[in-house]
Amino acid sequence: MAIDETACRKLLRDGLDELNIDVNENQQNLLIEYLEAFHKWNKAINLSAIRDPKEMVSRHLLDSLVLCPYLQDYINNKKGKAATYPLRLIDVGTGGGLPGFPLAICFPDIQVTLLDSNGKKTRFLFQTALKLKLSNIQVENKRVEGFHPEEKFDIVTSRAFASLSDMVIGAEHLLGCDGQYWAMKGQYPELELKQCSSRVEMIAAHKLQVPKCNEERYLMVLSSVAKQ
């Protein structure tokens, strides 16, 4: 069954307006195309337990795009400083491409690497990025500990790791000298922060309000103590 494109577009536009995020018409078209592909492949390879495309708009698209203002602030802060461009972001354990794929659509000038050990999921990501002609996306079918790129990353993000400690320990070799971990969490992870306090310092904890989603969401921004 195809998605109700009209309804999904309206939910996306309304959500973007509520979040005060400026996404142009072409980018909205790409987000809907990504949603269509996600919904289609989800039937075969189980990208998500969510089956309703309209619910996917909130729980997947908007839940990723809520990071846009923070990413824009990060980019603006980097401008004028000695920084390597384009900005490099890696989404570790990306699964179906969340949050990295929607962010790559809305920020075509940054390089986004989508890393996952599941071959079926990375095949979906590769085929969809190719279909949407997104040249700023690189897909890697590897475990995080087995991925050793030539260049490190400004931002290491994930919403899939079981704990902050797992994320920090598993991905610390990917983080550049002034890089940041961006961990998307449900409830405020007070215990997890204590468990990795010797390795990271918290820069910020942003409480996120995702339209049509009543669950708690946080963006935890961390820096590596060893890399300071």
Side-chain angles (χ1 to χ4, degrees):
M1 182 188 299
I3 71 171
D4 184 341
E5 186 176 326
T6 300
C8 288
R9 282 181 182 277
K10 185 178 188 306
L11 287 170
L12 177 60
R13 285 196 302 268
D14 290 349
L16 291 169
D17 287 343
E18 185 175 335
L19 293 170
N20 196 28
I21 295 173
D22 184 19
V23 175
N24 65 43
E25 185 174 353
N26 179 60
Q27 290 167 336
Q28 291 184 40
N29 290 339
L30 290 172
L31 288 166
I32 294 298
E33 287 187 60
Y34 166 68
L35 181 68
E36 288 176 331
F38 190 104
H39 176 61
K40 179 180 178 180
W41 282 67
N42 195 40
K43 298 173 185 177
I45 64 173
N46 195 30
L47 296 168
S48 169
I50 298 170
R51 302 297 177 181
D52 182 353
K54 293 190 288 294
E55 189 177 355
M56 288 179 182
V57 172
S58 175
R59 299 288 293 276
H60 292 332
L61 291 185
L62 294 173
D63 188 63
S64 299
L65 297 174
V66 73
L67 301 186
C68 285
Y70 305 105
L71 185 52
Q72 187 61 63
D73 285 346
Y74 184 89
I75 293 170
N76 292 342
N77 187 51
K78 281 286 186 181
K79 289 178 179 177
K81 294 185 178 180
T84 302
Y85 287 96
L87 188 81
R88 288 169 52 79
L89 178 148
I90 183 167
D91 182 7
V92 177
T94 188
L98 303 164
F101 209 112
L103 293 176
I105 289 174
C106 294
F107 292 87
D109 292 332
I110 72 172
Q111 291 295 317
V112 176
T113 297
L114 305 175
L115 179 69
D116 202 278
S117 61
N118 186 303
K120 292 180 180 179
K121 293 178 180 180
T122 54
R123 188 158 59 250
F124 156 70
L125 296 170
F126 178 81
Q127 293 292 340
T128 305
L130 190 65
K131 180 182 178 182
L132 272 55
K133 300 180 180 179
L134 298 174
S135 60
N136 66 325
I137 287 180
Q138 177 180 344
V139 179
E140 293 288 346
N141 177 209
K142 291 183 175 71
R143 295 181 63 85
V144 62
E145 61 269 21
F147 181 51
H148 296 276
E150 291 184 7
E151 294 183 70
K152 296 187 183 293
F153 294 89
D154 300 286
I155 295 174
V156 175
T157 188
S158 180
R159 69 173 198 169
F161 271 98
S163 72
L164 291 176
S165 290
D166 289 342
M167 180 180 183
V168 170
I169 294 171
E172 61 186 353
H173 65 287
L174 302 175
L175 195 68
C177 289
D178 297 318
Q180 296 179 353
Y181 297 104
W182 286 24
M184 299 186 73
K185 305 295 292 184
Q187 294 181 342
Y188 186 84
E190 186 172 355
L191 178 58
E192 293 179 28
L193 286 168
K194 291 180 180 178
Q195 291 171 341
C196 61
S197 60
S198 64
R199 291 179 176 267
V200 295
E201 180 179 359
M202 188 172 72
I203 298 173
H206 302 291
K207 189 169 185 179
L208 307 175
Q209 297 292 335
V210 181
K212 306 295 183 183
C213 181
N214 295 323
E215 299 172 4
E216 272 193 277
R217 299 294 281 153
Y218 284 90
L219 169 62
M220 309 302 298
V221 181
L222 310 169
S223 64
S224 172
V225 172
K227 293 181 182 294
Q228 289 181 355

